[in-house]
Amino acid sequence: MDEVGSKSFILTSITGLAIGVVLAMQSRGTLIRFGAEAVLPNMLALSVVKEIGPVFTSLVLAGRLGAGIGAEIGSMRVTEQIDALEVAALKPFHFLVITRVLACIIMFPILTLWTDTIALTGGYMESYLASGMDYRIFIATAFESLRFSDILVDTLKTGFFGFIVGIVSCYLGFTVRGGTREVGQAAMRAVVGSSLLILLSDVIIVRISMLLFGDAGS
Amino acid sequence: MTEQSIIQLRDLKKAFGAIEVLKGINLDVPNNHCAVVMGGSGSGKSVLIKNIVGLLKPDSGSISVLGKRVDLIQGDELDQLRLSIGYLFQSGALFDSMTVSENLMFFLERHLNLSPKEANDKIMQTLEWVELPEKLNDYPADLSGGQKKRIALARAVIMEPKILLYDEPTTGLDPVSVRMVSDLIVRLQAERGITSVAITHDLLCAEIIADSVHFLQDGQFVASGSLEEISRFDHPAIATFFGNETSHAS
Ligand SMILES: Nc1ncnc2c1ncn2[C@@H]1O[C@H](COP(=O)(O)OP(=O)(O)OP(=O)(O)O)[C@@H](O)[C@H]1O
Ligand SMILES: [Mg+2]
């Protein structure tokens, strides 16, 4: 849990800040052209909380944790440490896989909320520097168009992304055969495989949540 | 099964895809006996002992250990049997994220109800037995090859198993360490009445520990007997094996 959490904290903070600042800078020009600069906070909040925050956070974590878990379990496999657990009747699956998958399921949503917060803070800082926007107005406008169900669904879906990263990386690590080269390949496949599955399942989850909760704009 | 066999293999077959690794192995290991398996690299020796402990399942044939059919049981019943079997892995397989004492403690605290003091005493006693008590707080990465093997041996015996499976206990060690590890294996058999199957390429080790030797070639035992008998056996693979290896061992 600690391994999943503490270092990823810094990583997601940087991700969040970059997302917020860049998104605000990019959008401002366009919105000004349409005379809609006032809705910038709405737009930022919607895109960060509903899509960019969860997906970016999950992809960044897939890179870090997918490679880490894939390589760690893979090297335990090729050095017979997993066999050693099994022979000692210590149920390696429970011991290694369940703990890691659970940690991912719990940490992904928490870190996503954190990334969202930092991203909106970054967006506000940009707005303040560019147009001296008052933070009360920013917050009020930002939360105007967000529904609680949006925050809930789009944050909790990252728990599922965490599940994907955990399961895919553990599986690829567990099934390595060979030596260090194969361990490296397993780590790489864990990152690529879980990233692709995250993007794919995101499409499906968004589709389903629209059917269940309706479109955010409506 | 025969009364006195602790380990009994009958017509054991195992293939990986198209590659038939074991093509009908028969083996009887009586109580308090050390059966040594020799054979070329890739001949399937590790696959053979992994079958004995249920890490691999045979395609056909039967495996009995202490009267239990390893090929048929699974789950808790298999785990229960595994508590009576110690396994020394070819690579040592120490948990590299843990210190030496944590490696030993890890097994103890999960299976035996010992007080912390009893557990620590047992760990010290086992480390003294392999003559490495000073390595208590070292990580496996900081140990030499021979030291790793001895710690792995300590971990394999700390649960006081009745059976030990050794996968190349002395490979890659210098002659002094070879003798030391081999002597430990002999002492285990004498002092604790352990029954064992040991894989080795090493003639010196085989000479010290073997009660019987079985030569694996093309998926079958082509010769069984004492080391003396095997070495004089008329078979091209054995001749090559002993021809090449004698110069190493001496
Ligand atoms: N899990 C597995 N899946 C597929 N093939 C395997 C597996 N384990 C072993 N093999 C193959 O079985 C054959 C025998 O392997 P094994 O490890 O038993 O050899 P060995 O006699 O122990 O050799 P060495 O002395 O080098 O350790 C090899 O060709 C190996 O590639
Ligand atoms: Mg082997």
Side-chain angles (χ1 to χ4, degrees):
Chain A
M1 189 66 95
D2 187 46
E3 173 62 20
V4 178
S6 56
K7 287 196 189 115
S8 306
F9 200 65
I10 302 169
L11 189 65
T12 50
S13 304
I14 298 170
T15 312
L17 198 64
I19 292 175
V21 172
V22 171
L23 207 58
M25 285 196 299
Q26 296 263 24
S27 314
R28 169 158 293 105
T30 322
L31 289 174
I32 286 176
R33 244 194 295 152
F34 294 103
E37 198 190 347
V39 300
L40 181 72
N42 303 46
M43 216 215 75
L44 271 182
L46 272 177
S47 33
V48 165
V49 171
K50 287 193 62 64
E51 197 49 42
I52 302 184
V55 172
F56 252 76
T57 309
S58 301
L59 288 178
V60 166
L61 291 177
R64 193 182 123 66
L65 300 176
I69 295 175
E72 187 187 16
I73 298 204
S75 59
M76 288 187 76
R77 165 60 79 196
V78 300
T79 55
E80 300 180 307
Q81 291 176 51
I82 293 183
D83 287 339
L85 285 172
E86 174 137 23
V87 168
L90 289 173
K91 300 195 171 39
F93 182 79
H94 289 233
F95 190 72
L96 298 173
V97 177
I98 292 182
T99 46
R100 280 168 180 71
V101 174
L102 273 181
C104 286
I105 292 177
I106 295 166
M107 290 315 290
F108 271 52
I110 295 176
L111 287 168
T112 298
L113 278 181
W114 175 247
T115 311
D116 291 352
T117 311
I118 296 281
L120 290 179
T121 311
Y124 168 71
M125 273 163 32
E126 200 278 341
S127 303
Y128 178 76
L129 293 177
S131 62
M133 185 180 275
D134 187 85
Y135 72 92
R136 276 162 301 195
I137 298 178
F138 184 91
I139 292 175
T141 343
F143 281 95
E144 202 170 68
S145 51
L146 274 180
R147 295 171 310 176
F148 183 65
S149 68
D150 292 332
I151 304 181
L152 196 70
V153 170
D154 291 300
T155 303
L156 287 188
K157 75 179 177 188
T158 61
F160 183 69
F161 297 160
F163 174 77
I164 291 178
V165 171
I167 284 286
V168 168
S169 334
C170 285
Y171 173 79
L172 290 171
F174 233 77
T175 48
V176 169
R177 253 187 52 73
T180 33
R181 204 170 59 98
E182 284 77 8
V183 172
Q185 282 174 347
M188 187 263 289
R189 284 204 195 103
V191 175
V192 175
S194 46
S195 301
L196 289 178
L197 279 175
I198 285 173
L199 293 172
L200 195 70
S201 57
D202 188 42
V203 175
I204 297 167
I205 293 174
V206 167
R207 189 66 228 155
I208 292 175
S209 76
M210 276 179 169
L211 288 176
L212 290 180
F213 302 100
D215 198 339
S218 58
Chain B
M1 62 174 282
T2 37
E3 265 319 304
Q4 64 274 33
S5 294
I6 298 289
I7 300 171
Q8 185 185 66
L9 309 181
R10 285 290 171 269
D11 203 25
L12 181 65
K13 291 184 183 155
K14 178 73 186 171
F16 294 105
I19 309 165
E20 291 179 64
V21 179
L22 302 178
K23 303 180 194 166
I25 299 284
N26 293 296
L27 180 68
D28 281 286
V29 189
N31 193 18
N32 205 9
H33 180 101
C34 176
V36 165
V37 175
M38 298 182 114
S41 183
S43 58
K45 306 180 299 294
S46 297
V47 170
L48 175 66
I49 61 168
K50 283 184 178 160
N51 270 286
I52 297 178
V53 75
L55 278 175
L56 291 171
K57 291 283 176 191
D59 299 330
S60 66
S62 71
I63 305 162
S64 302
V65 176
L66 295 167
K68 293 254 166 55
R69 286 285 299 271
V70 176
D71 51 322
L72 300 181
I73 60 175
Q74 50 188 327
D76 287 342
E77 203 182 354
L78 181 56
D79 277 348
Q80 201 55 43
L81 178 65
R82 280 171 170 166
L83 292 182
S84 344
I85 306 175
Y87 196 122
L88 180 65
F89 285 88
Q90 192 162 354
S91 58
L94 295 170
F95 303 124
D96 46 26
S97 58
M98 298 179 193
T99 63
V100 166
S101 72
E102 285 164 351
N103 260 280
L104 300 180
M105 184 61 97
F106 191 72
F107 281 28
L108 275 187
E109 70 186 2
R110 274 167 186 75
H111 291 307
L112 299 181
N113 277 325
L114 297 180
S115 70
K117 186 179 177 320
E118 287 171 324
N120 279 321
D121 287 350
K122 197 163 173 66
I123 288 172
M124 276 324 285
Q125 199 188 323
T126 314
L127 286 179
E128 266 155 27
W129 179 74
V130 294
E131 295 177 33
L132 287 172
E134 72 280 8
K135 299 294 178 191
L136 191 64
N137 296 315
D138 287 17
Y139 282 91
D142 303 328
L143 302 174
S144 74
Q147 290 168 340
K148 270 186 208 153
K149 277 271 159 72
R150 276 146 68 195
I151 298 295
L153 183 61
R155 194 181 65 178
V157 302
I158 198 156
M159 297 295 298
E160 300 186 4
K162 299 189 186 70
I163 295 171
L164 270 161
L165 305 173
Y166 306 102
D167 195 345
E168 305 196 8
T170 60
T171 303
L173 306 187
D174 62 278
V176 178
S177 303
V178 169
R179 198 168 273 285
M180 181 159 188
V181 171
S182 308
D183 286 341
L184 288 174
I185 293 175
V186 170
R187 276 179 57 193
L188 277 173
Q189 189 172 340
E191 292 167 12
R192 303 198 193 171
I194 277 177
T195 307
S196 60
V197 177
I199 293 172
T200 185
H201 293 296
D202 190 328
L203 287 180
L204 174 59
C205 171
E207 207 175 296
I208 298 174
I209 68 174
D211 293 318
S212 66
V213 177
H214 310 265
F215 197 90
L216 186 61
Q217 169 77 18
D218 292 330
Q220 277 171 327
F221 285 144
V222 290
S224 296
S226 69
L227 185 64
E228 184 59 35
E229 287 160 6
I230 299 281
S231 62
R232 282 191 266 109
F233 202 83
D234 187 21
H235 187 287
I238 297 180
T240 325
F241 188 87
F242 280 85
N244 291 343
E245 297 279 313
T246 331
S247 52
H248 275 279
S250 55

